[in-house]
């Protein structure tokens, strides 16, 4: 996968079939009715039952609506994935600047959902974690790392290489 | 004379309003092994408007000790902040202070 900063957003290219499958699964993970996913995305907030019930009745539905609204934006960008004229290395995803916040939160939610759905622990992410992973968990670790990589790009914690390659922006704006 | 006697025997009652301030609430963010550290810092900046170094310090406290009290204050405000943190999927709880 490559990425570049374009004039109006971020481009991710050379997405493998596995990457595309993972990305297309992101909205479905957020919408999962699995109680482990719902419990993590809408965690218990209060210890006492009365306050918690009030929270469930008022705050949780608002959060659910927000998650849905973000998923709509993410799905829209995923539907627009396409092959660019100047790139022969696969499908390209464009994330507009105005969608970055929605993507960041949604990617985080998807990673959390993968974590709980595959019954993983912190040990699975340690250096020797793959030794204790089932094949399904190992696949989930790879997907979680891939989505983390996208988050890091959007967070700006990855060098965009703009200083080293002044052609990047020009190419992206074509 | 009669008036002064009545005045002397009149029972004087005063009421003093009893006011008690509501206890402040803590917002606690808990560690999870999935969420990126840089993402947590960013959310603290976004939600609370904290400076980068304060956001980083709180994030490190979450990471090293498993939890951090990231804000303390009135319950209504705490609920708004907690909802915003949960909107970004940080594991957040509310608890009343011991005061």
């Amino acid at each position: 996968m490559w990425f570049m900063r374009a004039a109006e957003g971020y481009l991710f290219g050379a997405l493998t079939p596995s990457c595309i499958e993972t990305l297309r699964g992101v909205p479905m993970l957020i919408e999962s009715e699995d109680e482990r996913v719902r419990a993590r995305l809408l965690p218990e907030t209060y210890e006492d039952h009365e306050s918690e019930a009030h929270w469930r009745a008022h705050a949780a539905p608002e959060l659910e609506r927000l998650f849905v609204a973000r998923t709509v934006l993410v799905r829209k960008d995923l539907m627009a994935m396409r092959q660019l004229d100047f790139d022969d290395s696969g499908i390209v995803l464009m994330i507009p600047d105005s969608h970055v916040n929605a993507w960041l939160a949604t990617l985080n939610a998807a990673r959390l959902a993968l974590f709980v759905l595959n019954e993983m622990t912190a040990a699975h992410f340690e250096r020797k974690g793959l030794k204790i992973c089932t094949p399904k968990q190992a696949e989930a670790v790879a997907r979680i790392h891939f989505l983390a990589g996208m988050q890091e790009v959007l967070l700006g914690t990855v060098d965009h290489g703009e200083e080293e390659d002044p052609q990047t922006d020009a190419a992206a704006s074509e | 004379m009669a008036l002064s006697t009545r005045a002397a025997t009149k029972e004087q009652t005063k009421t003093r309003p009893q006011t008690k301030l509501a206890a402040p609430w803590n917002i606690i963010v808990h560690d999870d092994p999935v969420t990126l550290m840089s993402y947590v810092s960013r959310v603290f900046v976004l939600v609370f408007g904290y400076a980068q170094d304060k956001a980083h310090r709180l994030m490190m406290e979450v990471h090293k000790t498993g939890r951090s009290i990231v804000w303390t204050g009135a319950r209504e405000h705490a609920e708004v902040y907690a909802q915003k943190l949960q909107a970004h999927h940080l594991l957040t709880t509310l608890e009343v202070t011991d005061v």
Side-chain angles (χ1 to χ4, degrees), chain A residues 22-33:
Chain A
T22 301
L23 285 169
R24 289 193 170 138
V26 164
M28 286 180 272
L29 285 166
I30 317 306
E31 293 165 350
S32 169
E33 291 297 320

Side-chain angles (χ1 to χ4, degrees), chain A residues 109-172:
Chain A
R111 296 174 66 235
L112 291 165
L114 283 168
F115 181 79
V116 296
L117 285 172
N118 289 282
E119 293 172 349
M120 298 165 84
T121 65
H124 292 97
F125 289 91
E126 289 172 3
R127 192 161 290 177
K128 294 179 181 176
L130 282 179
K131 288 183 179 175
I132 59 167
C133 281
T134 64
K136 194 171 167 230
Q137 286 172 330
E139 187 183 315
V141 168
R143 291 183 194 276
I144 287 170
H145 283 317
F146 163 64
L147 297 176
M150 289 191 66
Q151 273 192 302
E152 285 178 333
V153 170
L154 298 176
L155 284 164
T157 52
V158 178
D159 180 19
H160 295 154
E162 286 166 351
E163 289 177 5
E164 295 166 14
D165 181 12
Q167 299 298 313
T168 301
D169 279 349

Side-chain angles (χ1 to χ4, degrees), chain A:
Chain A
M1 179 184 80
W2 54 255
F3 63 90
M4 68 168 70
R5 183 75 177 96
E8 295 173 356
Y10 294 85
L11 286 171
F12 295 84
L15 296 168
T16 65
S18 175
C19 291
I20 293 168
E21 183 191 337
T22 301
L23 285 169
R24 289 193 170 138
V26 164
M28 286 180 272
L29 285 166
I30 317 306
E31 293 165 350
S32 169
E33 291 297 320
D34 188 291
E35 61 185 34
R36 293 166 295 179
V37 175
R38 292 339 301 164
R40 179 55 190 87
L41 299 186
L42 298 165
E44 280 188 22
T45 307
Y46 284 99
E47 279 187 354
D48 78 277
H49 296 303
E50 191 182 336
S51 298
E52 181 62 22
H54 190 264
W55 180 265
R56 293 270 146 206
H58 295 91
E62 285 183 20
L63 287 168
E64 289 275 24
R65 282 193 289 273
L66 177 64
F67 300 161
V68 169
R70 285 177 180 155
T71 307
V72 168
L73 292 180
V74 166
R75 196 169 258 133
K76 184 179 170 189
D77 294 336
L78 289 172
M79 297 277 284
M81 280 196 293
R82 63 194 170 93
Q83 184 92 37
L84 288 186
D85 294 340
F86 67 87
D87 179 63
D88 60 355
S89 58
I91 300 290
V92 172
L93 169 68
M94 164 75 173
I95 298 180
D97 287 333
S98 58
H99 294 184
V100 164
N101 283 337
W103 267 93
L104 275 170
T106 304
L107 288 170
N108 205 53
R111 296 174 66 235
L112 291 165
L114 283 168
F115 181 79
V116 296
L117 285 172
N118 289 282
E119 293 172 349
M120 298 165 84
T121 65
H124 292 97
F125 289 91
E126 289 172 3
R127 192 161 290 177
K128 294 179 181 176
L130 282 179
K131 288 183 179 175
I132 59 167
C133 281
T134 64
K136 194 171 167 230
Q137 286 172 330
E139 187 183 315
V141 168
R143 291 183 194 276
I144 287 170
H145 283 317
F146 163 64
L147 297 176
M150 289 191 66
Q151 273 192 302
E152 285 178 333
V153 170
L154 298 176
L155 284 164
T157 52
V158 178
D159 180 19
H160 295 154
E162 286 166 351
E163 289 177 5
E164 295 166 14
D165 181 12
Q167 299 298 313
T168 301
D169 279 349
S173 62
E174 282 172 9

Side-chain angles (χ1 to χ4, degrees), chain A residues 40-41 43-46 51 55 59 62-63 66-67 70 101 104-105 108-109 111-112 115 122 151-152 155, chain B residues 25 32-36 38-39 42 46 75 79-80 82-84 86-95:
Chain A
R40 179 55 190 87
L41 299 186
E44 280 188 22
T45 307
Y46 284 99
S51 298
W55 180 265
E62 285 183 20
L63 287 168
L66 177 64
F67 300 161
R70 285 177 180 155
N101 283 337
L104 275 170
N108 205 53
R111 296 174 66 235
L112 291 165
F115 181 79
Q151 273 192 302
E152 285 178 333
L155 284 164
Chain B
W25 284 69
D32 76 63
V34 175
T35 304
L36 294 174
S38 52
Y39 178 76
R42 181 181 188 271
L46 267 180
R75 181 176 182 170
E79 286 192 336
V80 172
Q83 193 177 13
K84 287 182 179 178
Q86 288 189 5
H88 294 282
H89 308 295
L90 300 197
L91 200 49
T92 310
T93 57
L94 290 169
E95 68 178 25

